[in-house]
Amino acid sequence: MNPPATPGPPTDLAALDRAVAECRRCPRLVDWREQVAREKRASFRDQTYWGRAVPGFGPADASLLIVGLAPAAHGANRTGRMFTGDRSGEVLYAAMHAVGLASQPTAVHADDGLTLRGTRITAPVHCAPPANKPTPAERDNCRPWLVRELELLRPTVRAVMVLGAFGWQALLPVLHQAVWLVPTPRPRFGHGVRVDLAARDGGAPLAVFGCYHVSQQNTFTGKLTPAMLEEVLRAAATAAGIGEVPAG
């Protein structure tokens, strides 16, 4: 008998999201995410944790992609949806709602009715890492998922907003591997930085924006304020062609 055929890459984002949720490529991350889901935080002890890799969130025809770092142990690793159930998500979704990209300012659980307008949220690492610090090997193991996500979004995506230096450094080689021309030396991360990348396929270019991460360290110290976040979101949404975005 012939061996079973090796499955090809997911052909749409729904299939990609299902495949991501089943991923077990990184033993350290699998062990950690499942340990957190068993032991739980006391305030969530009556809840069932997701405890798996967290797929991207948002429409399949998104023109703006937001790229974070990795799921939080008691946030997305608990709820199963990007930036949902933690303070970083509270800041991000409130700002997205303020500029017209989210249907509501809060993200409490995966069935709370939140929808995104023309925007998808993903991460270079899909599992919650210990101390919020994935290793370079874990980042590289997860890279094919992000490459495929960008390939599937290629017909519609026109802008990317990257939260933090880790996401920026992880994303640029992925963009180059996909279809966009990333210059050498690679552009440096900074809050409010914009880099426009031409495409090798002759299609639409991509506008890439840097933004400080919505971590508690940044938001509690004032390094990132709601106004700063909304300003970059509004610029990225405009570059993505998402209609009229209200000004506060």
Side-chain angles (χ1 to χ4, degrees):
M1 294 180 60
N2 294 326
T6 302
T11 56
D12 58 39
L13 281 170
L16 177 72
D17 290 346
R18 290 192 297 270
V20 166
E22 297 302 321
C23 185
R24 301 181 66 86
R25 290 177 183 171
C26 302
R28 186 182 80 113
L29 297 188
V30 170
D31 288 347
W32 174 250
R33 76 192 192 195
E34 294 180 354
Q35 177 186 336
V36 171
R38 288 192 307 271
E39 297 178 354
K40 305 181 182 181
R41 178 174 286 172
S43 55
F44 304 130
R45 61 182 176 275
D46 295 329
Q47 298 186 20
T48 300
Y49 274 53
W50 173 258
R52 300 154 67 189
V54 180
F57 168 54
D61 60 351
S63 54
L64 171 61
L65 182 66
I66 296 176
V67 179
L69 192 164
H74 301 283
N77 186 59
R78 172 173 58 89
T79 63
R81 192 176 69 189
M82 288 284 175
F83 282 104
T84 298
D86 61 22
R87 289 183 176 177
S88 294
E90 290 175 5
V91 173
L92 177 61
Y93 286 118
M96 291 181 68
H97 180 258
V99 303
L101 297 177
S103 63
Q104 59 194 45
T106 57
V108 180
H109 55 80
D111 298 317
D112 59 10
L114 173 67
T115 60
L116 304 185
R117 176 174 173 240
T119 306
R120 183 173 169 88
I121 300 177
T122 192
V125 176
H126 286 275
C127 292
N132 291 322
K133 293 181 179 179
T135 67
E138 290 162 350
R139 174 203 62 200
D140 294 345
N141 274 347
C142 217
R143 180 176 293 173
W145 296 127
L146 188 54
V147 171
R148 187 59 181 154
E149 193 165 13
L150 281 158
E151 290 172 347
L152 291 169
L153 286 169
R154 173 63 183 133
T156 58
V157 71
R158 297 294 178 265
V160 178
M161 189 180 89
V162 188
L163 297 170
F166 181 95
W168 181 272
Q169 292 161 3
L171 179 66
L172 290 182
V174 170
L175 294 177
H176 192 75
Q177 184 175 342
V179 71
W180 292 278
L181 295 167
V182 177
T184 303
R186 290 175 182 165
R188 296 184 63 181
F189 172 78
H191 182 79
V193 166
R194 173 175 176 167
V195 179
D196 292 289
L197 303 178
R200 285 193 297 272
D201 63 2
L206 188 72
V208 182
F209 293 81
C211 179
Y212 290 143
H213 197 279
V214 287
S215 66
Q216 292 184 54
Q217 179 180 357
N218 287 343
T219 58
F220 283 6
T221 61
K223 182 176 181 179
L224 178 67
T225 65
M228 291 168 64
L229 177 57
E230 290 172 23
E231 182 179 14
V232 181
L233 276 169
R234 190 171 288 109
T238 299
I242 306 179
E244 283 292 323
V245 181

